[in-house]
Amino acid sequence: MPETRPSCVLLADRHHGLTEGVRGLLETAFKTVVMVADEASLLEGADRIRPDVAIVDISLAQDSGLGWLRALRQRCPEVKVIVLSVHDEQCVRRAAMDAGADSFVLKRAIATDLLDAVEYVRGGGSGDSR
């Protein structure tokens, strides 16, 4: 029987505790989970491994801007990008989507919403997965 899981996800967050916890969840859906902790590693990793999906903390960059998202889109336009955030404000979600995110998941809802968001963006969806 052929493998049906996507091959690779790139998980980018400065908080090691979070990435370790999320890695276990993502290992149920992907063959490989690559974790990075800064913007430069995200962009270099995306260039090298060409992941199916990138799951990135909105606050990855020290300047709290979304330049990393635009740079990722330029380098790897085919990658599906899910932005994670602790911020529940509509303006934050809108900014991420306007900058090129395919989906947005609140960190407090990772356990319930992240795998649904992965499935949604891999199916061609963009925006909220629910």
Side-chain angles (χ1 to χ4, degrees):
M1 176 177 269
E3 179 66 59
T4 59
R5 293 186 299 170
S7 62
C8 185
V9 61
L10 184 58
L11 175 61
D13 197 303
R14 294 187 319 226
H15 304 99
H16 183 71
L18 177 85
T19 55
E20 282 298 321
V22 174
R23 180 180 69 178
L25 181 66
L26 292 173
E27 285 175 339
T28 67
F30 291 89
K31 294 179 196 176
T32 305
V33 179
V34 176
M35 299 183 304
V36 298
D38 59 58
E39 181 178 2
S41 298
L42 167 69
L43 297 175
E44 182 180 329
D47 276 342
R48 287 185 178 192
I49 64 175
R50 296 293 180 181
D52 298 293
V53 177
I55 300 171
V56 186
D57 180 7
I58 197 167
S59 301
L60 182 68
Q62 296 293 337
D63 66 4
S64 298
L66 291 170
W68 62 264
L69 183 49
R70 291 178 189 91
L72 182 59
R73 276 282 167 235
Q74 286 181 323
R75 290 176 176 213
C76 301
E78 71 286 349
V79 71
K80 300 298 182 182
V81 180
I82 299 171
V83 171
L84 301 176
S85 181
V86 297
H87 305 287
D88 196 6
E89 296 82 19
Q90 187 62 34
C91 62
V92 174
R93 180 183 306 263
R94 189 175 316 111
M97 300 307 290
D98 289 349
D102 293 297
S103 191
F104 184 95
V105 174
L106 292 171
K107 284 188 174 184
R108 69 171 183 251
I110 285 174
T112 57
D113 295 354
L114 185 57
L115 291 181
D116 287 344
V118 167
E119 191 173 316
Y120 179 72
V121 299
R122 293 229 357 110
S126 183
D128 286 326
S129 58
R130 35 188 188 339

